[in-house]
Amino acid sequence: MNLINLNAKFSGSTEDRKKAIFSTLFIAGNKLQTLFDNHIPEISLKQFMLLSVVRQSEEPLTFTQLGNLLGCSRQNIKKLADVLSIAY
């Protein structure tokens, strides 16, 4: 089954379309993670996203604000930042 078949299968009801959207986003996220990991093994995709958001921010952001932006907890952001500060 490919994404086109998956979307066609879930194209009936509103609930089915929601399932198709969720499945497509999940699969795309996994593919993005795999591509990133294969091409830049020194840093994780989450670490890269954290660095990107920090770099693009016009003012300093707290771990809580970064977590809200990236969709994870303050504690996860702190762990990512700690690993980055040790590694680099």
Side-chain angles (χ1 to χ4, degrees):
M1 179 180 289
N2 60 32
L3 285 178
I4 294 170
N5 293 341
L6 180 69
N7 286 327
K9 180 177 180 181
F10 290 115
S11 65
S13 68
T14 300
E15 187 64 29
D16 285 343
R17 287 191 295 275
K18 289 178 184 178
K19 290 177 186 177
I21 291 168
F22 177 81
S23 298
T24 302
L25 290 172
F26 183 81
I27 291 165
N30 283 339
K31 286 184 177 188
L32 180 62
Q33 179 79 49
T34 300
L35 283 170
F36 192 91
D37 289 347
N38 288 337
H39 286 60
I40 308 175
E42 300 83 16
I43 187 170
S44 74
L45 181 56
K46 288 181 181 181
Q47 290 168 332
F48 176 79
M49 288 306 302
L50 175 59
L51 289 172
S52 295
V53 169
V54 168
R55 183 170 184 192
Q56 297 302 318
S57 176
E58 294 180 7
E59 72 263 353
L61 298 171
T62 67
F63 289 154
T64 301
Q65 290 170 318
L66 289 164
N68 289 335
L69 281 170
L70 295 171
C72 58
S73 69
R74 176 199 179 286
Q75 292 84 356
N76 285 348
I77 295 296
K78 183 165 179 5
K79 286 180 187 177
L80 291 170
D82 285 345
V83 169
L84 288 168
S85 69
I86 292 169
Y88 303 96

